[in-house]
Amino acid sequence: MVRETEYYDLLGVAPTASASEIKKAYYNQARKVHPDKNPNDPDAAAKFQALGEAYQVLSDEMQRQRYDAAGKSGISREAMVDPAALFGMLFGSEAFEDYVGQLAMATLASIAVDSVTNATPTGPSIAKDAASSAGASPGDPGDSVDAMAIQAKLTAAQEERVQELGVKLKSRLDVYASPSPNQGLDGGRHAFMRWAHQEAEELSHAAFGEHMLESIGYVYERSAAKEQGKSIMYLGVPYVGEWFRERGRRIQTQWSAAMGVVSLFQMQMDMRRHVEESDMDEAALASFLESKQQSLLESLWRLNVLDIEATLSIVCHQ
């Protein structure tokens, strides 16, 4: 018997729902209320935030037990905002974990938050050295946060991400190359293609699903064409058409990501100017941020495309 059912009701599941049922229900509800899918609904952001809060609690075994026993008053608010989960909700990347892993920006945010949360007070000399190594001035809130340690953790996480994605990609390719018991190799490939089409159809409904599929498909297709092109000779040298095509795409993606960074910087400066000049209260600030919501998502997505395509290019190459 649970204390309250609000979170279960938001997801449309019973309190007895399994973890997989909760996850599936979240994906179905998220694509209905996602701000990107409802640009004309002023309440879309609030609905999406409430849905995300419900999913974060019910997808965490400990948090769910506390919620079942005592309702909202029993859950830990400190654990409510998980940057990785937030990015997964915004960009639908949780549904794509087997294909792209955890996005680099989500990993960086989680590591940074964890580093700040677990930072311990340091003595004056140690704090000064830490601030110097991180490029901050003594007395900054981030004195005890080691930027080099954060970078090391991010690098290790990215290496692990590439390795895991490589194993999963090889597993899928092994299925494609395995013959069907009754129909041989062609039968196995036809069965794989039917599964792939169904998988793509389901993933396309996730937030940014179609865009995510386009980036993944592009890297897979171009990597295969590039590999096949190694055996094609043109004027006595290996055909390099795919190399130039890949180079052009990379430049385009990097330029788009750079424009995303510029846009984020401009929004930050614009928000700072509004706060300093108009003495905005909390409601006004929330309204301002909501007005910039679509631009923020688009800018962050440009950075994610660069991350996804660069990571998958390494996965395919190894």
Side-chain angles (χ1 to χ4, degrees):
M1 188 72 177
V2 298
R3 182 68 176 272
E4 61 182 59
T5 63
E6 180 182 343
Y7 285 160
Y8 292 103
D9 295 339
L10 281 170
L11 291 173
V13 298
T16 56
S18 65
S20 61
E21 288 173 334
I22 288 174
K23 187 173 186 178
K24 183 177 181 179
Y26 165 71
Y27 287 143
N28 289 335
Q29 294 295 331
R31 66 172 177 251
K32 294 178 183 178
V33 302
H34 194 282
D36 185 55
K37 301 285 186 180
N38 300 275
N40 297 321
D41 183 359
D43 298 325
K47 293 176 183 176
F48 186 71
Q49 183 178 352
L51 183 68
E53 180 177 315
Y55 177 64
Q56 279 192 264
V57 171
L58 298 183
S59 62
D60 184 297
E61 186 176 353
M62 292 299 296
Q63 289 277 65
R64 182 179 179 181
Q65 289 177 3
R66 293 168 181 165
Y67 176 73
D68 287 347
K72 288 184 178 180
S73 62
I75 59 179
S76 172
R77 289 290 165 181
E78 292 181 359
M80 285 300 295
V81 182
D82 177 5
L86 178 60
F87 272 84
M89 293 170 194
L90 287 174
F91 300 105
S93 54
E94 282 191 342
F96 284 86
E97 280 188 359
D98 287 344
Y99 299 92
V100 303
Q102 182 170 285
L103 298 176
M105 290 185 66
T107 301
L108 176 59
S110 292
I111 292 173
V113 168
D114 184 62
S115 298
V116 172
T117 302
N118 297 324
T120 56
T122 57
S125 60
I126 299 177
K128 183 177 180 179
D129 292 340
S132 177
S133 65
S137 59
D140 284 346
D143 282 353
S144 56
V145 178
D146 189 340
M148 293 183 65
I150 292 178
Q151 180 60 48
K153 290 179 181 179
L154 181 61
T155 300
Q158 178 67 2
E159 291 176 353
E160 181 179 355
R161 176 190 181 192
V162 168
Q163 291 177 358
E164 290 180 353
L165 290 176
V167 171
K168 291 176 180 178
L169 177 57
K170 184 179 183 302
S171 177
R172 289 192 291 272
L173 293 176
D174 287 342
V175 173
Y176 175 78
S178 299
S180 170
N182 300 321
Q183 298 176 304
L185 185 59
D186 287 341
R189 289 180 175 177
H190 287 314
F192 177 87
M193 292 302 295
R194 286 195 297 272
W195 167 84
H197 283 295
Q198 182 180 356
E199 177 82 344
E201 173 62 24
E202 293 180 359
L203 291 173
S204 69
H205 295 298
F208 287 85
E210 293 182 359
H211 299 294
M212 193 90 73
L213 286 170
E214 193 278 332
S215 289
I216 295 171
Y218 173 83
V219 175
Y220 283 175
E221 183 180 14
R222 297 274 63 86
S223 295
K226 187 178 179 181
E227 186 66 24
Q228 291 174 335
K230 291 180 179 179
S231 61
I232 301 176
M233 303 297 289
Y234 182 73
L235 297 179
V237 297
Y239 181 60
V240 293
E242 285 302 326
W243 184 89
F244 283 111
R245 189 195 299 262
E246 180 185 14
R247 180 67 175 173
R249 170 78 174 211
R250 188 182 307 160
I251 292 174
Q252 179 183 12
T253 303
Q254 290 174 342
W255 174 257
S256 179
M259 292 299 98
V261 172
V262 171
S263 180
L264 288 172
F265 178 74
Q266 289 175 338
M267 277 187 278
Q268 180 186 21
M269 297 301 294
D270 194 19
M271 182 175 68
R272 179 180 297 178
R273 186 174 65 255
H274 275 74
V275 171
E276 292 177 349
E277 294 179 358
S278 59
D279 192 24
M280 301 173 71
D281 57 18
E282 185 175 339
L285 179 59
S287 177
F288 173 80
L289 291 175
E290 186 174 344
S291 70
K292 299 293 184 179
Q293 175 181 283
Q294 192 63 30
S295 297
L296 176 63
L297 287 175
E298 291 176 357
S299 298
L300 289 173
W301 173 246
R302 291 183 180 187
L303 298 176
N304 287 334
V305 171
L306 178 63
D307 168 42
I308 291 168
E309 295 189 2
T311 298
L312 292 188
S313 293
I314 297 173
V315 170
C316 292
H317 180 72
Q318 67 177 8

